[in-house]
């Protein structure tokens, strides 16, 4: 885990003191809202539908127990006893009061957390594979480089007023769990002739004009990465469309200029700035890497695990869905589902946060991760500890065995909280999960990703959902449009629109028809929804969604 | 022909708590039923100028249409319905005090 230097701590303290004064001046009337708004946004404070919202960055999704406990305490003291984990590895508090926010930021700073650059046209929280440092298929841990990028980008004078927000994601594995192709810059650690370097992907993004990123370089040596990133962002800073907010993201810049033109410009810029990078960044990286050393893994008999797996069907079902392969023998990666059937996706109560903190300390080498799928990960758990861990999760309401299944839905806050929303997301997710739980179908259906956004901004990643749902406002009534076949992995694909949208009452039955159609159409139980969709295309699913249209045509 | 002015209330978010407020007879109120319903466009324009100036109390002042067929102001758009009531996943916000 990265340990803050005195410099980092001092920086945060000064920044918070500055914001405290700004809040005071807003309250006593010496700052107008127009003057104050950019200042509060610089500190992650939004004004939403019913209250303020404070967005706290969880760098590359990594936390320790103490930090998780601090998040819980903040939720109890200044919010309503819960927090919302988002697709950007942030936690959002939905109910803070303006005058309390400086205290919240101070409490965060005590555990080296902050809300800087969680808003605004800057480089946002750098996200990473939530299995980082643990995954069996990993080339290298992506977090040291993510931390280096964070240090380079935080308060970088050239990049505080970019044309638009800028998002970087890093993966160290072949299998992409960080949606790197839907980011402004996606980085993948690759190996060539035994040397590690980076594949650099640019111009991906969701939102109004969803695009899959393009490979800018297939191999950049580690020591050249930071100057390469600086060159890319600098070219974008110059070239990005500032005339039109909707065309300002780098995906549009890449689209309008072409990847070759962008590459030529980045090459030129790179040549110019490369000499400024004298290797200090590599010294910093070495120090950061040392902070991310693997924990001392233990060796222990697997008997307890094997016996629970054989004798306890509830444990087995959970183990089958919520565990992933670890690089160390005897270990597993545990995904804790924040998607209990009928619950709000991504929400954890402060009690649950405290329990997860305790579990990480007792069983997980004091490490936790937040996934972009709005779940919490214990990256290093010895299998011998899993039965005890599972029992504890169960009593905390955290043992739902549904990772990757139909009820493991990503949903943005939608109209229940978000000022930009055009419809609600959360109740739709709740109804789908409850419905399929009642049907007892979800384990039969197998891997299926449903993702829901409450507006075109696509915070709920609906474009890359196998089934994507987009909430819209149709003449003052909530309406939901379905996209199919999206995929956020290394085979990233933007889903296709299935046809006209459905009312709030009709959307769950429509999803049910889709799923039954899949069960009919699949070759065997081993063919996933996405595979079936790719084999057959939209037509049979469209027929299931719009049976009356088929009848009319007949 | 100009569009007829529909009955409306003035709404905003409170500066300190951020919660939804409405302009009542002479002060900001929390409950939509206590809001002053404006039926005249000229009055609405005037009230907007007055209330927008109260930036030490509120943020983001705007006019929201209401339906008066039940006698009390009711939201005409679902967004205003959620603002009046609070989120649907928890009994938080306005509904806490109901
Ligand atoms: C205060 C609440 C929020 C606001 C105001 C907001 C605003 C926006 C806007 C304006 C965009 C479109 C950006 C563009 O394409 O130019 C966007 C995209 C996005 N937001 Fe949010 N959002 C909010 C909450 C969230 C939450 C809760 C999440 C995570 C669940 C999230 C994650 C994302 C992601 C992943 C995108 C994808 C689009 C992309 O960057 O390519 N946002 N958001
Ligand atoms: S997708 Fe739209 S509704 Fe959902 S959080 Fe993002 S901006 Fe808000």
């Amino acid at each position: 885990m990265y340990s803050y230097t005195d410099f980092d701590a001092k920086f945060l303290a000064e920044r918070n003191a500055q914001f405290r004064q700004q809040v005071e001046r807003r309250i006593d009337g010496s700052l107008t809202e127009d003057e104050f708004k950019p200042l509060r946004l610089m500190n992650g404070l939004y004004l939403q539908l019913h209250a303020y919202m404070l967005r706290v960055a969880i760098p590359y999704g990594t936390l320790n127990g103490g930090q998780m406990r601090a998040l819980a305490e903040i939720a109890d003291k200044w919010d309503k006893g819960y927090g919302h984990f988002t697709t950007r590895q942030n936690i959002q508090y939905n109910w803070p009061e303006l005058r309390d926010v400086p205290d919240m930021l101070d409490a965060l700073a005590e555990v080296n957390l902050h809300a800087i650059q969680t808003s605004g046209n800057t480089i946002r929280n750098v996200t990473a594979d939530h299995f980082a440092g643990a995954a069996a298929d990993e080339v290298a841990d992506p977090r040291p480089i993510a931390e280096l990028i964070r240090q380079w980008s935080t308060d970088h004078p050239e990049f505080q007023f970019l044309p638009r927000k800028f998002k970087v994601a890093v993966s160290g594995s072949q299998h992409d769990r960080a949606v790197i192709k839907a980011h402004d810059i996606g980085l993948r650690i690759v190996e060539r002739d035994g040397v590690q370097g980076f594949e650099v992907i640019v111009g991906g993004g969701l939102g109004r004009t969803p695009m899959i990123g393009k490979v800018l370089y297939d191999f950049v040596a580690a020591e050249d990465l930071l100057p390469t990133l600086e060159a890319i962002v600098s070219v974008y800073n110059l070239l990005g469309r500032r005339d039109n907010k909707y065309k300002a993201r780098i995906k549009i810049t890449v689209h309008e200029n072409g990847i070759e033109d962008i590459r030529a410009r980045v090459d030129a810029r790179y040549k110019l700035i490369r000499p400024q990078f004298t290797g200090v960044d590599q010294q910093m990286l070495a120090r950061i890497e040392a902070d991310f050393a693997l924990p001392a893994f233990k060796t222990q008999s697997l008997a307890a695990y094997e016996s629970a797996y054989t004798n306890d069907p509830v444990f087995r079902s959970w183990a089958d869905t919520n565990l992933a392969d670890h690089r160390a023998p005897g270990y597993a990666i545990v995904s804790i589902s924040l998607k209990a059937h009928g619950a709000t996706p991504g929400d954890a109560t402060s009690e649950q946060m405290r329990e997860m903190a305790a579990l990480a300390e007792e069983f997980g080498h004091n490490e936790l991760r937040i996934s972009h799928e709005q779940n919490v990960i214990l990256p290093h758990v010895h299998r011998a500890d899993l039965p005890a861990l599972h029992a504890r999760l169960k009593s905390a309401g955290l043992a739902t065995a549904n990772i990757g299944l139909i009820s493991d839905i990503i949903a943005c806050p939608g109209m229940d909280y978000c000022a930009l929303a055009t419809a609600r997301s959360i109740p739709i997710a709740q109804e789908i999960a409850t419905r399929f739980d009642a049907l007892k179908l979800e384990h039969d259906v197998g891997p299926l990703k449903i993702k829901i956004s409450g507006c075109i901004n696509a915070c709920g990643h609906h474009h890359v959902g196998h089934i994507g749902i987009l909430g819209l406002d149709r003449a003052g009534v909530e309406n939901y449009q379905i996209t199919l076949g999206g995929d956020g992995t290394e085979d990233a694909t933007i889903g296709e629109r299935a046809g006209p949208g459905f009312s709030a009452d009709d959307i769950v039955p429509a999803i049910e028809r889709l799923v039954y159609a899949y069960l009919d159409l699949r070759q065997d139980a081993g063919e996933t929804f996405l595979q079936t969709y790719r084999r057959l295309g939209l037509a049979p699913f469209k027929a299931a969604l719009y049976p009356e249209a088929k009848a009319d045509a007949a | 022909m100009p569009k007829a002015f529909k009955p409306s209330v003035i709404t905003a978010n409170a500066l300190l708590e951020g919660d939804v407020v409405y302009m009542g007879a002479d002060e900001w109120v929390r409950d939509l039923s206590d809001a002053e319903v404006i039926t005249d466009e000229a009055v609405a324009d005037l009230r907007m100028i007055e209330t927008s100036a109260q930036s030490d109390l509120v943020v983001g002042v705007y006019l929201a249409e209401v339906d008066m067929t039940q006698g009390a102001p009711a939201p005409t758009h679902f967004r205003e319905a959620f603002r009046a009531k609070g989120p649907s996943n928890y009994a938080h916000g306005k509904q806490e005090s109901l």
Side-chain angles (χ1 to χ4, degrees), chain A residues 210-243:
Chain A
M211 287 192 190
I212 300 298
K214 297 188 170 69
V215 176
L216 185 66
Y217 300 111
D218 58 10
F219 190 90
V220 171
E223 66 273 19
D224 298 332
L225 185 67
L226 227 42
T228 303
L229 296 182
E230 179 133 339
I232 296 169
V233 184
S234 177
V235 164
Y236 162 65
N237 202 12
L238 204 66
L239 215 58
R241 296 269 304 259
R242 288 175 194 266
D243 59 322

Side-chain angles (χ1 to χ4, degrees), chain A residues 175-186:
Chain A
H175 185 58
D176 179 9
R177 286 172 292 260
V179 210
I180 60 174
K181 289 186 175 172
H183 281 77
D184 297 287
I185 294 181

Side-chain angles (χ1 to χ4, degrees), chain A residues 39-108:
Chain A
L39 302 173
R40 71 165 153 77
L41 287 175
M42 279 174 72
N43 291 284
L45 186 62
Y46 289 75
L47 183 56
Q48 289 288 280
L49 217 53
H50 317 286
Y52 288 93
M53 180 273 276
L54 181 66
R55 179 182 290 163
V56 177
I58 297 169
Y60 30 87
T62 293
L63 282 173
N64 61 28
Q67 290 174 316
M68 184 64 113
R69 203 169 282 113
L71 294 180
E73 267 144 36
I74 288 169
D76 276 341
K77 198 156 170 195
W78 293 291
D79 209 84
K80 292 190 190 283
Y82 76 100
H84 178 69
F85 291 104
T86 80
T87 50
R88 302 250 336 117
Q89 296 179 319
N90 295 314
I91 183 170
Q92 298 188 164
Y93 292 106
N94 284 326
W95 304 94
E97 295 191 9
L98 180 57
R99 59 162 59 95
D100 292 334
V101 174
D103 290 340
M104 296 170 81
L105 292 176
D106 282 347
L108 288 167

Side-chain angles (χ1 to χ4, degrees), chain A residues 11 26 34 49 73 147 156 228 235 256 275 299 321 325 449 458 514 517 543:
Chain A
F11 171 82
R26 175 67 184 100
D34 284 349
L49 217 53
E73 267 144 36
E147 173 60 29
H156 191 304
T228 303
V235 164
E256 287 184 347
T299 35
T321 45
D325 291 340
K449 291 186 191 293
L514 263 183

